[in-house]
Amino acid sequence: MLASLSIRDLVIIEALELNFASGLGVLTGETGAGKSILLDALGLVLGARADSGLVRAGSEKARVTAGFEIALDKGPLADLLADNDIEVEPGEPLIIRRQVKADGGSRAHINDQPVSAALLREVAAHLVEIHGQHDDRGLINPAGHRQLLDSFAKADTASVAAAYADWRAAAAALKQARAEMAEAERDRDFLQHSLEELRQFAPEAGEEEALALERATMQKGEKLSESLSEITAMLEGSDSPLAALRSLTRKLDRIAPDHEMLAEALSALDRALIEAVEGEEKLAAAQDALLFDPERLDDIETRLFALRALARKHDVAGDDLPALMQKMEAQWAALESGSGNLAVLESECAKAREAYVTAAKALHQARIDAGESLDSAVANELKPLKLDAARFQTAISELPEERWGPNGISAVEFLISTNPGSDFAPLMKIASGGELSRFILALKVALAEQGGAATMIFDEIDRGVGGAVASAIGERLSRLSRQTQLLVVTHSPQVAAKGDHHLLISKSSDGTVARTNVQALDAATRQEEIARMLSGAEVTQEARAQADRLLERV
C-alpha cells in the first residue's frame, strides 16, 4: 500500500509530508484547493509525463517521493524488480523518487537505482490504480480483462499454457524436420554423388599429415641417395676404415696383456670400434628410411593431392573428411527414412494440438460461465449507484487459430450499454467521467476478492450525484477498502463520512504566493469539515448535527 508521499516545489505546493494508512482514506477540500495537484504528484512517481510546468515558480526543480509497503518476496512485481536488478530488503519499503527540472528533463529512481519512465510505469501498474479524470489504464484497458475474468473464475490457465508450449514445440520440431527433408531432397543428387566419391576414396583420420610426412621424407631421400651410397661403399669391403679398425684391434688384442698401456689402448680402440659399428647401423637405417621409390612417391602424391582436392571441394580441412563422410552417411540415412520420421512427428504434433484445443475449449467454456456470473454480480451493483438503466456484458469470443496462444483461444472484453436500446460498447466509450468511475466501482466490488493493485484511487467518483446514491457509493467504497487500500477524492459528505482516515486539502495565500496545505483531521475537525461540505461557506449547527448523524452511521 501507499505509506507516504513527500512533495517539494510542485506547482503551489512548497513542501508536504503525507502519511497514509490502510482502509478507506478520503481527501476533501474546496474547489481549487489543490486536490488535483496531489494526484499530479502521485502520477509523477507512477511514470506520468514529466512537465516542467509542474515546477513551482522560482524553484529549480520539483521532487516527489513515494513509499510503498508491500510484500516483495514473490509475484509479478518481485519478478519485475529482480529482472531489472532492483534490490529490496525484506521488510523495507519500496521507495520511488521522481525529479522534474524547470528547464526540462527528469530523473527517476527506485530504491536509489536510476530507472526509465517506462519501467516506472510497469512497476506502478502493480502498485496503484487511478480511476476517474486521470484514468488511462486499469479496468478500461481490454488487455487486462481476460486476466480479471480468469481470476474471478479461478480458472486453470497453467494447463492450457503448458499444452500450448508442448504443441508449439512439436510444431517446431515438425517444421525443422520438413525443412531438413526439403533441403536434403534438393541436394539428393549432390549428396549421393559426394557420398559415393567419399566412400570410394575412404579417407582416414590423420591421413593427410601421414602422407605429407612420408612424401617429404621420400623427397629428401631422393636428394641424399647418391651421397648415402658413396658413404655406404666407403664402409664396406676389406679395405674400408672399419675393416682396418677391426684388424687393428685383433692384432693389439694379442699383445695387450704384455703391458698396461697396451691394454688401455686396446680398450679405447674397442670403444671406437663399437661407436663405428653403431654409426654404420644408423647409416643403414637412414638409408632404408630415406629409400627413394619413384612408384611409391607417385602413389603418395596422387593420394595426397586427391585428398586435398576433396577437402577444397567440400570446404573442410583434409583431416575432417572422415567426419564429413559420417555426416553425409547420416543425412543419406535420414533422407531414406525421412518419410517415416515425418509421419511420426506429424502424429505427435496432431496429438499435441488436440490436447491444447481440448484444454483451451474447456477454459473457454469456463470463461463463458464465469462471464455470466460476473454480469449478474455487476448488475446487482448498478441500480444503487444510479446506473439502473445501464447494462454490463462480458463479451467472450473465440479467436482465429493464428491468434491462439498460451492464454487460450478466448478474446475477453467488458462492454456496457448506458441507455435502454443502445448497443454495448467498450468501457472507454462512456463520455461521463463520474459515470465511468461508478461503473468501475461496481465492477471492482464484484471483482473484490480477485485483488488488483495494492492501492486504488477514485477521483471524484461522486461527481453529479448526492443523497442515496452518494451513500451507496460510500458504502461500496468502504466495503472495497476491506480488500485493498482505497483513497478517494470527494465532494460528497456521505462518502467522506465513510472514511477511516480524513485529509483536508486547503489553499492559503500571502497576497503574492499561494500554497497548498494538507491536514490530517481528528474527530472534531472531521465533523466540522463534513458540516462544511453539507452547508457550504457558513457552517450551521444543523449542518454539524447532520454531520454527526452521518458519522454515527459508519
Side-chain angles (χ1 to χ4, degrees):
M1 71 172 190
L2 176 64
S4 62
L5 186 65
S6 173
I7 307 171
R8 294 286 185 277
D9 298 320
L10 186 79
V11 193
I12 60 173
I13 298 177
E14 185 175 10
L16 275 181
E17 297 288 341
L18 303 178
N19 294 309
F20 301 92
S22 59
L24 176 59
V26 296
L27 292 84
T28 65
E30 294 182 355
T31 300
K35 297 185 292 296
S36 62
I37 298 175
L38 286 181
L39 294 182
D40 288 338
L42 188 57
L44 274 179
V45 293
L46 299 178
R49 187 176 68 88
D51 187 346
S52 60
L54 293 172
V55 180
R56 186 168 173 265
S59 300
E60 294 182 357
K61 57 189 175 184
R63 291 166 292 168
V64 183
T65 302
F68 293 89
E69 294 179 357
I70 189 168
L72 291 171
D73 54 337
K74 59 181 179 179
L77 178 55
D79 294 340
L80 178 60
L81 295 174
D83 291 343
N84 288 277
D85 298 323
I86 298 174
E87 297 183 358
V88 182
E89 295 295 330
E92 293 295 317
L94 184 71
I95 304 297
I96 300 179
R97 295 186 175 88
R98 189 84 182 273
Q99 174 180 294
V100 183
K101 294 182 179 180
D103 58 359
S106 70
R107 291 190 298 174
H109 295 78
I110 298 179
N111 281 12
D112 293 325
Q113 178 169 319
V115 297
S116 65
L119 177 58
L120 207 56
R121 287 190 288 272
E122 278 193 79
V123 171
H126 298 279
L127 297 173
V128 179
E129 289 182 24
I130 300 179
H131 301 292
Q133 300 177 73
H134 297 72
D135 192 353
D136 60 356
R137 54 192 171 196
L139 287 180
I140 69 171
N141 187 349
H145 292 176
R146 181 174 55 202
Q147 184 177 355
L148 286 169
L149 181 63
D150 288 344
S151 297
F152 180 80
K154 295 180 173 60
D156 176 19
T157 57
S159 60
V160 174
Y164 181 79
D166 291 342
W167 175 33
R168 298 326 303 162
L174 177 58
K175 181 179 179 180
Q176 182 177 353
R178 283 173 172 164
E180 291 175 354
M181 183 76 170
E183 183 179 359
E185 283 291 351
R186 286 194 302 270
D187 298 337
R188 173 185 281 270
D189 292 342
F190 172 78
L191 179 61
Q192 185 177 18
H193 171 76
S194 298
L195 184 56
E196 183 60 33
E197 187 177 40
L198 285 169
R199 284 171 177 168
Q200 290 179 1
F201 188 81
E204 298 178 0
E207 183 177 10
E208 182 180 19
E209 183 179 358
L211 289 172
L213 179 60
E214 187 177 358
R215 174 174 177 259
T217 302
M218 192 167 288
Q219 287 174 332
K220 289 179 182 178
E222 182 180 11
K223 294 179 182 178
L224 299 173
S225 60
E226 184 176 347
S227 296
L228 285 173
S229 296
E230 292 177 0
I231 294 171
T232 302
M234 291 174 64
L235 291 174
E236 293 176 348
S238 58
D239 57 346
S240 69
L242 193 56
L245 184 58
R246 286 191 183 99
S247 176
L248 177 61
T249 56
R250 284 194 300 269
K251 291 179 180 180
L252 187 57
D253 183 55
R254 289 195 292 270
I255 64 174
D258 293 339
H259 195 277
E260 180 181 348
M261 297 296 290
L262 294 176
E264 292 177 3
L266 177 61
S267 178
L269 290 172
D270 281 339
R271 289 195 301 272
L273 180 61
I274 293 171
E275 292 291 335
V277 171
E278 185 176 346
E280 183 183 34
E281 292 172 351
K282 289 189 179 296
L283 280 171
Q287 193 172 25
D288 290 339
L290 295 170
L291 181 64
F292 172 64
D293 182 350
E295 291 185 4
R296 174 59 183 162
L297 179 59
D298 185 60
D299 291 342
I300 290 172
E301 290 183 336
T302 300
R303 177 75 178 178
L304 182 60
F305 296 157
L307 184 145
R308 288 175 174 171
L310 269 176
R312 286 194 300 271
K313 178 179 179 180
H314 295 287
D315 195 23
V316 297
D319 286 340
D320 292 336
L321 285 174
L324 176 64
M325 186 172 72
Q326 290 181 354
K327 180 182 177 181
M328 288 185 171
E329 292 280 12
Q331 289 175 331
W332 184 256
L335 184 59
E336 291 295 288
S337 61
S339 57
N341 291 336
L342 282 179
V344 172
L345 291 174
E346 286 169 352
S347 175
E348 291 176 350
C349 185
K351 289 178 181 178
R353 181 186 184 281
E354 183 180 357
Y356 168 75
V357 170
T358 299
K361 284 188 176 294
L363 177 59
H364 185 68
Q365 185 58 51
R367 285 168 172 162
I368 291 174
D369 296 340
E372 294 174 356
S373 298
L374 180 59
D375 293 349
S376 177
V378 174
N380 292 334
E381 300 293 333
L382 295 179
K383 187 173 182 179
L385 296 175
K386 204 177 178 179
L387 293 169
D388 43 313
R391 293 174 296 152
F392 175 83
Q393 181 185 75
T394 305
I396 303 171
S397 58
E398 189 170 324
L399 294 167
E401 183 167 342
E402 62 269 18
R403 292 182 58 194
W404 290 358
N407 294 313
I409 60 175
S410 311
V412 177
E413 185 173 6
F414 299 148
L415 304 177
I416 60 169
S417 169
T418 55
N419 298 302
S422 63
D423 293 334
F424 283 96
L427 288 174
M428 64 181 67
K429 298 297 184 182
I430 299 179
S432 166
E435 193 175 49
L436 174 60
S437 295
R438 279 181 282 143
F439 222 113
I440 288 174
L441 176 59
L443 184 54
K444 270 295 183 183
V445 171
L447 292 168
E449 293 185 359
Q450 315 317 317
T455 299
M456 290 179 57
I457 298 174
F458 283 91
D459 181 19
E460 298 187 7
I461 190 174
D462 50 11
R463 186 172 22 170
V465 300
V469 177
S471 294
I473 291 173
E475 189 278 328
R476 279 154 180 78
L477 288 170
S478 179
R479 194 195 320 168
L480 187 57
S481 70
R482 298 167 197 161
Q483 307 291 334
T484 185
Q485 182 190 39
L486 212 62
L487 299 176
V488 181
V489 176
T490 180
H491 289 288
S492 168
Q494 291 90 343
V495 173
K498 294 290 184 179
D500 299 308
H501 319 282
H502 195 145
L503 296 176
L504 174 62
I505 304 170
S506 60
K507 184 170 67 173
S508 61
S509 174
D510 59 6
T512 57
V513 178
R515 292 180 176 86
T516 289
N517 303 296
V518 179
Q519 175 188 359
L521 302 183
D522 56 19
T525 52
R526 186 181 184 196
Q527 181 229 37
E528 192 71 9
E529 169 62 8
I530 292 177
R532 182 200 64 77
M533 296 172 73
L534 286 164
S535 62
E538 183 179 349
V539 179
T540 64
Q541 290 300 322
E542 181 181 352
R544 292 187 178 96
Q546 189 175 353
D548 285 339
R549 288 192 292 273
L550 286 176
L551 290 169
E552 286 172 1
R553 295 174 190 168
V554 178

